[in-house]
Amino acid sequence: MNKPLQLAVFASILISLCCSSRAQTCQNYKFSNQNTYAKCVDLPVLNSFLHWNYTASSFQLDLAFRHVGATASEWVAWAINPLGLIMLGSQALVAYQRPDGTFYAYASPIDGYDTALPEGRLSFSFSKLSGTFEKGEMTIFASLQLTGNLVTINQVWQNGPLKGGTPAIHASSADHLTSFGTLNLVTGAAI
Ligand code: HEM
Ligand SMILES: *[C@@H]1O[C@H](CO)[C@@H](O)[C@H](O)[C@H]1NC(C)=O
């Protein structure tokens, strides 16, 4: 690499590190319930963040998925998809505010592109599933019991509208169709 090019690359790295246009970064975020997590990643689309602890010896994943800029008329979801970087097969955690004002967090295995996200059993067990909706932010908390083949995971996330109080199809703009990536739970490396 020649000198000017090196300089340009260095400058662009500096700019991306210090002056990213992203409104929030996960690193300095404080949860109102005082939960803390060793790792987090700013997801590349849909104003979303994943925070987690992973215990490699027991394959246990404690996570918090946050979506900022949420309104009461939308649902949010985060999933592991053992099948690939697609919606179909996603083992999803979903949350939204019910008409009575309670916040509903539940599991939904996605078996088709015509799903209405009904509650169902996932391919792994989990506990402590809950959700909050505060200051325009929806958060899903859960503790997942994973297996040794799910250390580098395919993660998929999404948000969409409620119609008649239940989840309806999300937008098909580029950001809603690229809301997935691989994540190494041990190193935190995301692609
Ligand atoms: C009401 C529930 C849902 C319906 C009806 C729905 C429907 C669809 C449809 C029809 C597509 C294809 C759109 C296109 O190619 O133009 C799609 C894509 C996608 N959906 Fe959903 N979706 C729902 C919920 C979810 C959830 C909960 C997630 C994530 C956990 C998700 C993640 C994605 C992603 C990442 C894509 C693009 C990749 C792919 O085509 O597999 N969707 N969805
Ligand atoms: C995550 O791990 C840290 C350090 O071990 C611990 O203090 C914290 O309570 C854990 N968080 C959750 C939500 O389990």
Side-chain angles (χ1 to χ4, degrees), residues 62-91:
D62 287 291
L63 71 92
F65 167 77
R66 299 193 291 123
H67 173 65
V68 312
T71 68
S73 58
E74 72 181 308
W75 54 265
V76 298
W78 181 88
I80 288 177
N81 191 347
L83 296 188
L85 293 170
I86 52 171
M87 170 178 147
L88 185 67
S90 288
Q91 303 296 301

Side-chain angles (χ1 to χ4, degrees), residues 75 77 79 86-88 90 92 110 113-117 156-158 167-170 172 176-177 179-180:
W75 54 265
I86 52 171
M87 170 178 147
L88 185 67
S90 288
I110 298 183
Y113 283 91
D114 57 354
T115 181
L117 301 179
V156 190
W157 63 98
Q158 195 55 272
I169 189 165
H170 52 82
S172 57
H176 290 272
L177 299 182
S179 49
F180 51 73

